[in-house]
Amino acid sequence: MRISLKAFLAALLLMLTFQPLAYADLAEAAKGLLAKSYNDKTAAVKKLAATGDPRAAALLEALLSGDLYNQGGTEILVVAKNAAGGYQITDILTDQDLGVVAKGTLSKIRINNNMRGLIKGLLGSLTLLNADPALRLKAANAIFRSRPEDMAKPVADALAAETDPTVQTALERALAAVNLTHGDTPEIRAEALLVLQELHDPEVKGLLSKEAYKLASMDNQSAENIQLAQGIQAALARIDEKLAFLGIVENIFQGLSLGSVLLLAAIGLAITFGVMGIINMAHGEM
């Protein structure tokens, strides 16, 4: 009992010790959003995501939706909603209600398109380890589409811990997309290509087509890039074959479904005619 009590007291002490530090780190990183330079704001966004704090996700969501403001004369970041007489504001970090203020007292935190793409990917990384599989799946798909440069390790870590088969497949796709786009070595990119070419997915085909165009547009063609471009073309051909096969299967299934309906209608007409000696036209109409 003494050991359990000591362990509890130690855990409580750690919580009390590190919680203010975590908040201080988050608040310090958030101050970077007040900078005028988009480069400084981008660095601040990356620092916020690196904290792993759930409040960072809320802050980035508000920033992405255009609801994040700075209260004039302070370093307080608030979420502002329209209200009678001005804006109803809430401190984004403490969730404290700060009442209604005039619109002229707030300054909107603005971002550019590059930051929007980055934020979408980082928001995905913050939910990769969420308890809800649906949110993890959504995060994996968001990372696949945005492919942030520094997401390979978080996705790989999430994949190692994942138990849901559907989410695993989505994480494998996202990791391969990030490695193909930002892989440091030809081996990493080639391995990512092997994963992607096995997926009969129109989105994967779009990604590979974009990478093929990017490689073809380069002025200096190295042997590695030429080999990768050839691999991408082969992967695209493989995906086209799979999509064509699936299209044939889909057409056959639809044909069988329609044929079965027509067959049932014909059997019904034959039975009606055989018993009554007349054709029930309403049967065909049905």
Side-chain angles (χ1 to χ4, degrees):
M1 184 67 181
R2 289 181 180 177
I3 296 176
S4 300
L5 181 58
K6 288 182 179 179
F8 172 76
L9 292 175
L12 181 61
L13 179 60
L14 285 173
M15 290 177 60
L16 294 176
T17 302
F18 287 104
Q19 186 173 0
L21 292 178
Y23 175 81
D25 291 342
L26 188 67
E28 186 63 29
K31 289 180 183 178
L33 297 175
L34 301 175
K36 294 182 179 180
S37 168
Y38 284 119
N39 290 334
D40 293 338
K41 289 181 180 180
T42 299
V45 165
K46 291 180 179 179
K47 288 181 181 179
L48 285 167
T51 64
D53 195 304
R55 291 167 296 184
L59 193 154
L60 293 178
E61 287 175 355
L63 183 61
L64 185 63
S65 63
D67 294 329
L68 189 65
Y69 291 78
N70 169 230
Q71 193 172 15
T74 70
E75 294 181 339
I76 299 176
L77 293 173
V78 298
V79 174
K81 299 294 184 182
N82 285 319
Y87 281 136
Q88 176 71 43
I89 62 172
T90 305
D91 189 318
I92 189 65
L93 298 181
T94 64
D95 202 31
Q96 179 184 358
D97 186 356
L98 301 178
V100 178
V101 299
K103 293 184 177 181
T105 62
L106 299 179
S107 177
K108 188 172 185 177
I109 306 298
R110 301 189 181 278
I111 58 176
N112 56 19
N113 289 333
N114 289 335
M115 290 184 65
R116 288 187 181 92
L118 173 65
I119 292 171
K120 288 178 181 178
L122 293 176
L123 279 173
S125 70
L126 287 170
T127 54
L128 282 177
L129 300 177
N130 194 286
D132 187 351
L135 291 179
R136 298 199 303 272
L137 179 62
K138 183 178 179 181
N141 290 332
I143 292 172
F144 170 82
R145 297 185 181 99
S146 59
R147 299 182 294 281
E149 184 174 356
D150 52 355
M151 283 304 300
K153 187 179 185 305
V155 175
D157 292 341
L159 179 59
E162 187 56 59
T163 57
D164 187 287
T166 302
V167 183
Q168 281 180 341
T169 301
L171 286 171
E172 289 172 355
R173 186 180 78 146
L175 180 59
V178 173
N179 284 336
L180 179 66
T181 308
H182 304 292
D184 295 331
T185 65
E187 291 76 16
I188 291 177
R189 302 185 75 181
E191 185 178 351
L193 184 59
L194 290 176
V195 174
L196 292 172
Q197 72 178 11
E198 297 302 322
L199 303 175
H200 45 273
D201 186 340
E203 284 190 314
V204 171
K205 180 181 177 181
L207 167 62
L208 294 179
S209 298
K210 184 177 179 179
E211 287 300 307
Y213 176 79
K214 185 191 300 183
L215 290 170
S217 303
M218 289 182 176
D219 295 330
N220 298 324
Q221 292 291 342
S222 65
E224 295 172 351
N225 285 341
I226 292 174
Q227 185 176 2
L228 180 61
Q230 292 173 348
I232 289 177
Q233 293 298 335
L236 284 170
R238 186 180 179 88
I239 291 175
D240 284 336
E241 290 177 1
K242 289 185 177 182
L243 291 176
F245 175 75
L246 289 176
I248 293 173
V249 173
E250 182 180 359
N251 289 335
I252 292 174
F253 178 77
Q254 290 179 349
L256 290 174
S257 298
L258 179 59
S260 63
V261 173
L262 295 176
L263 179 62
L264 288 173
I267 291 174
L269 286 170
I271 293 174
T272 303
F273 182 75
V275 173
M276 302 178 62
I278 60 173
I279 296 178
N280 183 2
M281 301 305 294
H283 191 97
E285 187 71 18
M286 180 191 70

